[in-house]
Amino acid sequence: MPGQAGPQPLIALRDVTKTYVNGDLAVEVLHGISLDIHAGEFVAIMGASGSGKSTLMNILGCLDRPTTGEYRVDGIDAATLGGDSLAHLRRETFGFIFQSYNLIPSATAAENVEVPAIYAGLSAAARRERAAQLLSSLGLADRMDHRPNQLSGGQQQRVSIARALMNGGRVILADEPTGALDSRSGAEVMALLRRMSDAGQTVILITHDRVVADHAHRLIEIRDGHIVGDSGARRPAAAPAGVAAEGGGDAGALGVADMAEAVKMALRALRANLFRTVLTLLGIVIGVGAVIAMLAIGGGAKQSVVDRISAMGTDLLLIRPAQTNSRTADGVIATLVPEDADALAELPNVAAAVPELLGNVTMRYGNTDYQTQADATTPSFTVARNWPVDRGGFIAPRDEAGYAPVIVLGQTVARVLFPEGVDPMGRYVLVNNIPFQVIGLMQAKGATPYGADQDDVVFMPLSTGSMRVFGKRFVRSITVQVQDTARIDETQAAVQALLEQRHRRQDVQIRNMSSLLETVSATQNTLTILLGSVAAISLLVGGIGVMNIMLVSVTERTREIGVRMATGARMRDILQQFITESVVVSAIGGAIGAVGGLGVAAVLRAFGTPILFSPGPVLLAFGCAFLTGLVFGYMPARKAATLDPVVALSAE
């Protein structure tokens, strides 16, 4: 190393000042410090509280930058280094021993020691072996799996020393290492520092205690930001060759913690505050479970719709006027007329062509009034629509030809108008104050998949409805029943051509049953998406909860972040760690929510609700949970990654 091979100092400060600005107030803490420290020296920097010694240590350890002046480490000007390069320098050159130990509470002694090597890219096996070796050499072989709160102060400080040595520790920076220890533990720590110095490592001791400072080979006194005394080196400062590389192995590598290690650290951090983690999980669990359950319900409803429409038959063509056509004064689209149906009935492969004119009417029987829908149509309706009569008969050709005032009731209308025990057959009802005789009752159809009551309708001859009830000659639709469904497309083309010939323009829309199924499916898909979107709101709320909890976690673990930065973590390492924690908690919540959502859907199916299980919604919901953790974890992670190491270490 340059610091060993020649007179060039390992650490050199020239006219270094440090000024802290708080609003309009500027306080200069260091005043033109110039200092050289050579490799292998054991230096004590002594001063009273407020003298600037801790600020000087932060600058020496690249945790802070000088306001003015020059600071060189091994000939490299620290001012020219970016954040990642400074992190590399801290990781490969410095080892920190703090007065308050600064151990990670949720990690064991061995895991605390391994931290610097994680950011150096050392393999897990090599890290464990190196940590065990260091802890054993410091008399902590039987305490490696203990957490900090299970260790005495002296033991915690020895763990801190082992962590400082993990990557080799060319320069050991010890800030009041005995300040929080009893005299016996303090003596043990100083003996360890002396042995490190004897082994050739550079040790810089920050203290206010003269007795502690006397263990060093060189004493530098600082007062009010000025160096007021320097005893000079008491022995040649020559570090043995190979000291810098000892123990680091692959410590010079610039790798980041692998994903498995990041997940392990995330689980450890989440376990440390289990109750808060459960509350965070709850929002994700509810969101994912709701999305899966809602999509399963929507998929089941869609399948039910498709099944019901398919049961009507696939041999129908539904003809409606195009919406762009002109309308009559009362808003009716003036396109289709009953004669179009007569012409269509003559086409090959057409079994029936049924025109329909629908409108709302007021029915009255006795003292009961009821509003319902009237369908003026032709005798072929029951065959084309596969809807038979339950009692009596349907409209006959003679009724259509003679404008007969006859009517066929749906079951709902009959039940409302006629009291129990009264047979509606043959009785007269008023339709918009026009008397009609009841000649039949339709079979019950029930509700549509959308909840509409299909039995809330009455039927009358098209001629009667057009002339006497609605006063319109244009029909709303024509239903064409084909004989051979294999030729339905050919028949559709023939129908289109005939209507264009009759109307001299293209003014109708024709849908066969498969097209209708596609339309209904698309509508149902929209409803399913709507249900999923509503459920996704809870997932969004859960994501906001994750972000809030992670922000709290960053605040609570600010000192831990500072320790990780001091041991060599780069910005992207901290960013990765906190994003991983957010993703892990979201992924766990997503898995639990997926199981819960499937369970809820299964229970609903047991109670008769149409449910469709498919892997798509499960994967979608779980993926959204994962993405939620990634997106909502970024802001807290970035806040953690951009913390200043000095500020983070000084946090309470």
Side-chain angles (χ1 to χ4, degrees):
M1 294 182 297
Q4 297 170 332
Q8 175 178 278
L10 177 61
I11 290 175
L13 294 91
R14 296 291 180 267
D15 300 320
V16 166
T17 68
K18 181 62 181 179
T19 302
Y20 292 103
V21 179
N22 185 8
D24 296 331
L25 179 64
V27 178
E28 187 172 317
V29 178
L30 297 181
H31 310 279
I33 298 291
S34 294
L35 175 65
D36 288 341
I37 298 175
H38 291 268
E41 285 194 272
F42 188 177
V43 180
I45 300 176
M46 190 181 74
S49 295
S51 62
K53 61 183 186 300
S54 294
T55 301
L56 179 58
M57 189 204 78
N58 290 332
I59 292 175
L60 291 174
C62 296
L63 295 172
D64 203 356
R65 295 177 183 265
T67 304
T68 62
E70 182 181 71
Y71 172 44
R72 289 183 175 271
V73 181
D74 214 3
I76 300 173
D77 186 354
T80 64
L81 302 178
D84 285 353
S85 297
L86 288 174
H88 177 235
L89 190 61
R90 290 193 294 268
R91 181 171 63 245
E92 304 302 325
T93 302
F94 297 101
F96 293 89
I97 302 173
F98 300 100
Q99 176 182 0
S100 55
Y101 324 130
N102 283 342
L103 300 180
I104 299 172
S106 60
T108 64
E111 289 168 340
N112 269 284
V113 174
E114 290 179 26
V115 168
I118 290 174
Y119 300 117
L122 206 62
S123 68
R127 291 198 305 266
R128 285 192 293 269
E129 181 181 353
R130 172 67 173 162
Q133 174 191 347
L134 288 169
L135 289 172
S136 297
S137 69
L138 295 173
L140 295 175
D142 59 341
R143 293 288 187 269
M144 288 190 290
D145 294 328
H146 288 61
R147 289 189 170 82
N149 61 359
Q150 298 171 314
L151 301 173
S152 67
Q155 289 170 335
Q156 290 186 60
Q157 192 62 288
R158 277 183 276 169
V159 173
S160 177
I161 292 171
R163 181 179 62 192
L165 295 172
M166 186 64 185
N167 286 350
R170 292 174 60 189
V171 180
I172 302 298
L173 290 167
D175 183 15
E176 300 280 7
T178 63
L181 302 178
D182 56 44
S183 58
R184 179 180 176 182
S185 298
E188 291 177 354
V189 168
M190 292 311 302
L192 286 171
L193 292 177
R194 168 82 71 159
R195 288 203 298 270
M196 283 187 274
S197 174
D198 292 341
Q201 287 170 293
T202 305
V203 179
I204 302 175
L205 174 66
I206 308 296
T207 184
H208 68 281
D209 190 337
R210 169 71 68 172
V211 175
V212 173
D214 284 342
H215 286 80
H217 302 139
R218 178 182 176 188
L219 176 60
I220 298 173
E221 293 186 70
I222 186 170
R223 183 183 305 146
D224 296 330
H226 297 276
I227 291 179
V228 296
D230 187 347
S231 67
R234 297 182 186 176
R235 67 172 175 81
V243 169
E246 179 190 347
D250 189 31
L254 275 174
V256 296
D258 57 32
M259 187 53 64
E261 184 62 35
V263 172
K264 179 182 175 182
M265 289 192 293
L267 291 173
R268 188 170 62 217
L270 295 172
R271 188 176 62 243
N273 199 326
L274 192 58
F275 183 69
R276 188 172 65 195
T277 300
V278 170
L279 292 179
T280 307
L281 285 173
L282 193 59
I284 301 296
V285 168
I286 293 174
V288 171
V291 168
I292 291 176
M294 288 296 187
L295 291 180
I297 293 171
K302 173 185 173 182
Q303 189 62 46
S304 176
V305 170
V306 170
D307 292 343
R308 292 194 184 194
I309 293 179
S310 297
M312 293 173 59
T314 58
D315 58 349
L316 300 180
L317 295 173
L318 305 178
I319 306 170
R320 292 180 179 273
Q323 295 298 316
T324 55
N325 292 323
S326 60
R327 299 172 181 263
T328 61
D330 54 1
V332 177
I333 300 177
T335 297
L336 293 174
V337 293
E339 291 77 13
D340 290 331
D342 296 336
L344 293 173
E346 302 299 323
L347 288 174
N349 198 40
V350 172
V354 182
E356 293 180 71
L357 176 59
L358 285 78
N360 293 326
V361 296
T362 299
M363 305 281 296
R364 175 178 292 180
Y365 178 78
N367 295 324
T368 303
D369 288 348
Y370 184 65
Q371 286 191 340
T372 186
Q373 186 178 64
D375 187 345
T377 186
T378 59
S380 302
F381 176 88
T382 54
V383 177
R385 288 298 184 89
N386 191 26
W387 192 352
V389 175
D390 182 50
R391 294 175 56 199
F394 197 69
I395 300 163
R398 64 177 180 276
D399 298 326
E400 171 67 19
Y403 299 88
V406 294
I407 197 166
V408 181
L409 306 181
Q411 291 288 341
T412 298
V413 178
R415 185 171 56 254
V416 172
L417 287 180
F418 295 93
E420 186 176 354
V422 176
D423 186 2
M425 297 299 299
R427 298 184 183 274
Y428 283 87
V429 295
L430 294 179
V431 180
N432 291 351
N433 293 322
I434 301 172
F436 278 75
Q437 185 180 20
V438 178
I439 61 173
L441 294 176
M442 303 296 291
Q443 284 189 0
K445 272 281 191 177
T448 68
Y450 306 106
D453 186 0
Q454 297 182 85
D455 298 317
D456 189 7
V457 66
V458 297
F459 298 92
M460 61 183 63
L462 177 62
S463 58
T464 308
S466 175
M467 180 68 68
R468 304 184 61 180
V469 177
F470 301 117
K472 304 171 184 177
R473 66 179 302 269
F474 297 102
V475 298
R476 180 178 177 181
S477 65
I478 298 175
T479 301
V480 174
Q481 183 185 31
V482 300
Q483 296 171 347
D484 183 2
T485 55
R487 298 169 53 199
I488 191 169
D489 291 337
E490 173 188 332
T491 304
Q492 180 177 344
V495 168
Q496 183 75 55
L498 178 61
L499 291 176
E500 287 182 11
Q501 179 183 357
R502 289 178 57 83
H503 300 175
R504 301 183 183 278
R505 58 176 178 161
Q506 185 174 342
D507 58 357
V508 297
Q509 296 175 337
I510 303 176
R511 292 179 181 172
N512 57 38
M513 188 55 67
S514 61
S515 174
L516 179 61
L517 282 173
E518 290 176 3
T519 302
V520 171
S521 296
T523 303
Q524 201 66 34
N525 286 339
T526 302
L527 294 175
T528 301
I529 292 172
L530 179 61
L531 288 174
S533 299
V534 172
I537 293 174
S538 59
L539 187 58
L540 177 64
V541 173
I544 295 173
V546 169
M547 182 172 64
N548 289 337
I549 293 299
M550 292 306 298
L551 285 170
V552 171
S553 179
V554 169
T555 302
E556 290 182 348
R557 295 162 59 193
T558 300
R559 178 168 288 192
E560 175 191 331
I561 294 167
V563 172
R564 292 183 181 278
M565 289 179 170
T567 54
R570 293 166 292 181
M571 178 183 290
R572 64 173 175 266
D573 294 328
I574 301 297
L575 191 68
Q576 175 186 335
Q577 177 189 341
F578 280 88
I579 286 181
T580 300
E581 289 184 20
S582 178
V583 169
V584 165
V585 73
S586 297
I588 294 174
I592 297 173
V595 174
L598 291 173
V600 170
V603 170
L604 291 175
R605 184 168 67 174
F607 282 93
T609 303
I611 297 293
L612 179 64
F613 291 109
S614 61
V618 178
L619 295 176
L620 174 64
F622 186 81
C624 287
F626 189 89
L627 188 63
T628 295
L630 195 64
V631 171
F632 286 95
Y634 177 77
M635 185 180 296
R638 180 167 178 79
K639 177 184 177 182
T642 53
L643 286 173
D644 187 279
V646 172
V647 175
L649 283 169
S650 63
E652 294 298 330

